[in-house]
Amino acid sequence: QVQLVEAGGGLVQAGGSLRLSCAASGRTLSSYTMGWFRQAPGKEREVVAAISRGGLNILYADSVKGRFTISRDNAKNTVYLQMNSLKPEDTAVYYCAAQTLVTLTTVPGNYMYWGQGTQVTVSS
């Protein structure tokens, strides 16, 4: 079991940056593949990025590739999402999630642990 808590969301102007963090408790994050997802009003939850246990294998959604960077610090039990060049279409609730599958996955249903979410709003 692992509990996940996101932080770092807020309001930012288009073109600006935010850094989200996901802190784990209960279990060490090193046991889990981690993902960031987002959900905008009226939209399906979609993957943003995912990172393997050791941090060497990374997946990004095409919509954020080149702008967002996922990273993890297993010693701190924390996963990060650095978001640069933010666009209004990035506005959503961002969720941190953990799963025990060996392979990276973009399917939300494959993730068994979820944080409470943090709101990111990008103004135009």
Side-chain angles (χ1 to χ4, degrees), residues 46-110:
E46 63 178 0
V47 69
V48 176
I51 186 168
S52 63
R53 293 173 177 84
L56 297 179
N57 300 115
I58 294 173
L59 176 153
Y60 293 104
D62 288 341
S63 60
V64 307
K65 192 173 298 183
R67 300 187 297 119
F68 291 10
T69 302
I70 187 172
S71 62
R72 65 190 301 161
D73 187 339
N74 288 339
K76 296 181 178 179
N77 283 338
T78 303
V79 177
Y80 304 95
L81 184 68
Q82 179 67 47
M83 305 186 294
N84 298 326
S85 302
L86 283 162
K87 304 175 181 179
E89 51 262 44
D90 295 319
T91 296
V93 176
Y94 283 71
Y95 298 91
C96 178
Q99 52 104 341
T100 58
L101 297 175
V102 174
T103 58
L104 295 178
T105 177
T106 63
V107 181
N110 287 340

